[in-house]
Amino acid sequence: MAQDFMKLSKPLFMASGKRDLGPSLSFNRTATLLDFEAKINWNKILQTDPLKCAFSLICQLAAGAEPQDVQAKIIYEFVAFSVENSKTIPRPLKESFELGLKYNDNLTGKENYKKCYRRYPLCLYSARTMLRFMSLFGNE
């Protein structure tokens, strides 16, 4: 799963910063995100995740886990964009994001994301660990 996401997301990660495209070209982040999102087979990705770690990761990020991690911010922004704009995002993925946001209602709680562990008990990994896996395996 990590390899698939990292392979697909290279353009997304490159598009996350500002680029100088010259005076006549403009960078359309929305178009890039829509194009990237259209290439994702959510159901195939989720079928290879019997422990529901993708749901747990999304829940944890939406609940405020790893706020300083650049990769986490990009994933969070992309999922938030997809939840708002995609008609193909699976309902359970959307629900995991919305659940994380609900857990994060109390913005002063620094460990709100730990509530996601109870919701997805089969996934034993924290967001930090999953992001490390993605970095390690994404370069293969």
Side-chain angles (χ1 to χ4, degrees):
M1 183 175 78
Q3 293 165 327
D4 293 340
F5 180 81
M6 295 306 290
K7 191 183 309 176
L8 283 170
S9 67
K10 283 186 182 183
L12 180 66
F13 281 85
M14 292 186 314
S16 64
K18 283 190 165 189
R19 299 190 298 179
D20 182 11
L21 298 173
S24 62
L25 299 174
S26 63
F27 176 67
N28 186 337
R29 183 165 170 81
T30 301
T32 300
L33 289 170
L34 285 171
D35 182 55
F36 176 69
E37 206 274 337
K39 294 176 184 172
I40 295 176
N41 183 340
W42 290 110
N43 292 319
K44 182 179 178 186
I45 291 172
L46 297 176
Q47 285 174 353
T48 63
D49 184 23
L51 303 180
K52 310 278 188 249
C53 287
F55 296 136
S56 181
L57 175 63
I58 290 168
C59 179
Q60 289 180 56
L61 295 180
E66 303 306 315
Q68 303 303 318
D69 187 286
V70 173
Q71 185 178 0
K73 286 179 185 178
I74 292 169
I75 294 168
Y76 171 85
E77 288 176 10
F78 175 70
V79 172
F81 176 86
S82 295
V83 165
E84 288 182 26
N85 298 289
S86 175
K87 293 176 182 29
T88 61
I89 193 166
R91 179 181 299 276
L93 197 64
K94 183 177 181 178
E95 289 171 354
S96 68
F97 181 77
E98 291 171 346
L99 185 65
L101 291 178
K102 181 180 168 186
Y103 291 157
N104 202 20
D105 273 349
N106 175 10
L107 296 175
T108 59
K110 293 186 179 182
E111 297 190 352
N112 290 333
Y113 66 92
K114 290 187 177 180
K115 295 176 184 175
C116 298
Y117 297 157
R118 289 190 299 272
R119 179 69 172 96
Y120 303 101
L122 296 177
C123 183
L124 305 176
Y125 304 110
S126 67
R128 177 175 289 166
T129 300
M130 288 188 271
L131 291 167
R132 286 183 183 156
F133 285 154
M134 291 172 72
S135 293
L136 288 172
F137 295 114
N139 294 327
E140 291 182 352

